Amino acid sequence: MENFEILLEQIAELASKGEISALRKLLCELNVVDTAQLIEGLEPKNRLRAFRVLPKDTSAEVFAYLEPDTQAELVRSITDTELENLLDEMFLDDTVDFLEEVPASVVTRVLAHSDPKTRKLINRFLNYPEDCAGSLMTIEMVHLRTSLTAAEAIEKIRKTGLDKETVYTCYCVDREHHLLGSIPLLSLLLCEQDTLVGDIMEDDAQLISVGTHDDREYVADIVKKYDLLSVPVVDNENRLVGIITVDDIVDVIEEETTEDFEKMALLAPSDDEYLKTGVFKLARNRILWLLILMISGTFTGKIIEGYETLLAGFVALTASMPMLMGTGGNAGSQVSTLIIRGLAVGEIEIKDYFKIVLKELRVASICGAVLAIANILRMYLFCEGTIEVFLVVSLAMFCAIIVAKLIGCSLPIFAKIIKLDPALMAGPMIATLVDIVTLVIYFGLAKVFLI
Amino acid sequence: MENFEILLEQIAELASKGEISALRKLLCELNVVDTAQLIEGLEPKNRLRAFRVLPKDTSAEVFAYLEPDTQAELVRSITDTELENLLDEMFLDDTVDFLEEVPASVVTRVLAHSDPKTRKLINRFLNYPEDCAGSLMTIEMVHLRTSLTAAEAIEKIRKTGLDKETVYTCYCVDREHHLLGSIPLLSLLLCEQDTLVGDIMEDDAQLISVGTHDDREYVADIVKKYDLLSVPVVDNENRLVGIITVDDIVDVIEEETTEDFEKMALLAPSDDEYLKTGVFKLARNRILWLLILMISGTFTGKIIEGYETLLAGFVALTASMPMLMGTGGNAGSQVSTLIIRGLAVGEIEIKDYFKIVLKELRVASICGAVLAIANILRMYLFCEGTIEVFLVVSLAMFCAIIVAKLIGCSLPIFAKIIKLDPALMAGPMIATLVDIVTLVIYFGLAKVFLI
């Protein structure tokens, strides 16, 4: 962290003084991710200078790691030739990622400076729905014919000159580009060099692929399950159109998790970083569910109005309301979180529902009993009222916990059954429902035992 | 899914009939992950049979994907020779993973059948704290001397015969095993074959490594940030002791996320799958925080007791309490979730605190104003009481939302400052605090305007 600040200062100084070669030397020694982060830290003028000194291939890599705002700014500032060189060096999936985030004017300029073939490809990619395999894939990959020998295959890989993880698994296709099998680069390297690719490729049941329109969450599940470095993407007719690499999957997992967190807190999901989102947009993302749950508060209000005289007679009943509903809400939120997460990672399925209900009934009985006893002690020590009132509160708490655990484990699974996202059925939603049921039970018990 | 059931039946039938060769053929055509899943689905007797027909190397891979219970059961059932063969074929990190999960008797048997050198290594691995890089790493890797040529290096890789992702990045060391640099397999393949490894390796600022005792969350962050396929692990003296591959990092990310979800719902974090955890353990994981928050309900109780006469005079005040506290809790939980997640993925840092507070004040004002107006309408339509009471409730709601947003954005950051996990400061915790402050404001306003 300290190193970062020192480096940033050095770079800023070299850039403003225009010491090109020293600047290039310093930046080229760094990892491209760090270079990108440092360039983000500079002022716009120095940013452009620092970016311009980078060698062609490095600048394309660094560009892919910049924030969309910075990317747009740079594209607006560089010359036509520089832009063409940059686009030439960039991986297609990085170009598409960046085009998805920047203003239309930048997209137009980029498309205008791409060669016709790339432009056609970019347009096709931009047309895939945002959450599907097609929008995640890259077309930079190696496809081999099964009739090649291992030595010929390695020569072909050498010639494509592709970099990094995109070639560690190669894919075999026939004349019409149908996917036939996969073969790790390592197998090509380790086998007898005159072996035919077709003889050592993994095919049939071992070959795993996804469709262009498969959901990215499904793709992530596949990559996780089979510990893959890349997965081939095929079209409707099983023709190989691209691959998705594990580093993009790691990003997908993170984004999907963030979406779950947001839904669980009843926020409208948003791709934007918190600090960069405007106040009005933040407010809009939050207000809908707050309104809905607030209006549903009418039910609890009506229930309480109905017991006005009962409440007036026993102040401890009113005084215990927040504690009682809070405990119910917390108990429900605990179990709903476990179920939502279990459904998300595949540990729990719909068919487990009855097993879960039985389990939760037993867990709730234990938790409920311990809390009810603790509550009697607590009220005896700290609260005004008779032992009958304390008993009613404790009994209501026991019931509230049972109800909360049942609602908490049921709603996420019901949501899943009716194809809603289970994450919506988390803490706040559960608490609102538990509040209503708890109050009905509470006053019911009070009426029976206290009047 | 349907395919799975059909396959499972076929395999069960072949296994019970003892049709060894047909069974082997069928199982060998599948991906090892699927084979493991199918073996899990069999009865114990058939499970052993199916496992035994697998070729030696496949059986080691399949074994690594089995559940700990099944692994323990198989180790207890196979012969000494079979066990020795299995251990011989398995990657050390898989062996360690499995030993960490099974009963002591199984560990003893496994250690007794390992050769002395492996036993020593296993013991060293089992001694690393569970959440650190040392316990995640594998020692199966390729280390190269800088004086080798590319051709010699490739020959060495061929000879080690290691499989899969563990060799896609090779590491260069000196005579004392100090880490000098890294080199992708692909670079070895693409360069002139008489180039020296030392001349093309990535070193200095570009070389990324982690220490044996670094937290696994930190390791995951590094791998994510730099899009690595593997990261080298070094000891205190920068000697290379192992590598961590991206597939294990994907699992770490998933486990760490689950831990965050659990903490946010105030559950004691647990590695066990929900369906396999006993009722008492589930209850124990939940009860502590339920008790603490329940007891803290004494504060809200005391506040309400103090306003007994006020509440008796205006039923709408009592009737609005659950709605008011629920809205406050929901508003707080929304922002605390955003901040906790932002801190976890590195989008938000402690130094952003004042920016966040200013932002939240503005968001809260908008949300508060909209909800307060909606509430007056709601109460006018559905509730008993005078317009003065409605105004007090709405004003209190406006204040509650401001307070909730402030508490919700502050507590996770304060937790981070005092080195607590920010995830603890989520919905339930925030709601309990917001409840107390909201009630004080509510009754304060009521006293001023209604009496």
Side-chain angles (χ1 to χ4, degrees), chain A residues 184 236 238 268 271-272 275 313 343 353 378 398 423-424 431 439 450:
Chain A
N236 291 336
N238 196 35
D271 281 344
D272 308 320
L275 288 173
L343 287 168
Y353 178 61
R378 179 190 74 90
F398 182 83
L424 284 174
L439 279 184
L450 300 182

Side-chain angles (χ1 to χ4, degrees), chain B residues 16-27:
Chain B
S16 16
K17 283 189 188 158
E19 297 191 15
I20 303 299
S21 63
L23 185 59
R24 179 181 299 129
K25 186 160 172 285
L26 185 60
L27 289 175

Side-chain angles (χ1 to χ4, degrees), chain A residues 34 37 65 158 168 189 224 226-227 254 258 274-275 277 286 298 302 341 359-360 378 382, chain B residues 34 65 158 168 189 224 226-227 254 258 274-275 277 286 298 302 341 359-360 378 382:
Chain A
D34 293 325
Q37 215 178 333
Y65 282 105
R158 264 212 192 96
Y168 285 128
L189 208 60
K224 266 191 286 187
Y226 295 101
D227 287 343
E254 197 159 285
T258 299
Y274 172 80
L275 288 173
T277 314
R286 299 181 192 178
T298 309
K302 281 285 145 196
R341 185 67 186 155
K359 197 160 209 165
E360 284 306 319
R378 179 190 74 90
F382 301 117
Chain B
D34 293 325
Y65 281 104
R158 264 212 191 93
Y168 285 128
L189 208 60
K224 265 190 287 186
Y226 294 102
D227 288 343
E254 197 159 285
T258 299
Y274 172 81
L275 288 173
T277 314
R286 299 181 192 178
T298 309
K302 282 284 145 196
R341 186 65 187 156
K359 197 161 210 167
E360 283 306 319
R378 179 190 74 89
F382 302 117

Side-chain angles (χ1 to χ4, degrees), chain A residues 105-235:
Chain A
S105 62
V106 177
V107 177
T108 317
R109 179 153 191 233
V110 168
L111 287 177
H113 288 87
S114 310
D115 62 81
K117 202 178 138 204
T118 315
R119 186 159 52 227
K120 210 174 133 195
L121 276 172
I122 290 177
N123 276 320
R124 198 177 84 199
F125 270 68
L126 289 176
N127 277 329
Y128 285 118
E130 212 195 324
D131 284 345
C132 78
S135 77
L136 270 182
M137 70 187 182
T138 174
I139 54 156
E140 278 87 3
M141 59 184 161
V142 178
H143 26 80
L144 303 172
R145 300 292 295 277
T146 49
S147 54
L148 293 177
T149 65
E152 289 165 341
I154 291 177
E155 194 47 41
K156 180 166 179 194
I157 295 168
R158 264 212 192 96
K159 278 201 190 127
T160 60
L162 284 176
D163 201 7
K164 299 230 174 118
E165 67 279 340
T166 47
V167 303
Y168 285 128
T169 309
C170 305
Y171 297 96
C172 307
V173 292
D174 64 13
R175 206 177 289 272
E176 284 79 37
H177 241 254
H178 294 112
L179 180 64
L180 297 177
S182 71
I183 183 161
L185 175 60
L186 203 62
S187 308
L188 287 176
L189 208 60
L190 298 184
C191 70
E192 292 299 322
Q193 291 303 290
D194 54 357
T195 318
L196 289 185
V197 167
D199 291 341
I200 50 169
M201 70 180 183
E202 291 172 0
D203 53 5
D204 301 331
Q206 298 195 22
L207 181 64
I208 290 143
S209 66
V210 298
T212 43
H213 282 79
D214 280 344
D215 190 79
R216 61 180 193 164
E217 221 170 335
Y218 169 76
V219 181
D221 286 343
I222 292 285
V223 171
K224 266 191 286 187
K225 180 172 171 191
Y226 295 101
D227 287 343
L228 302 174
L229 291 182
S230 63
V231 63
V233 184
V234 295
D235 65 11

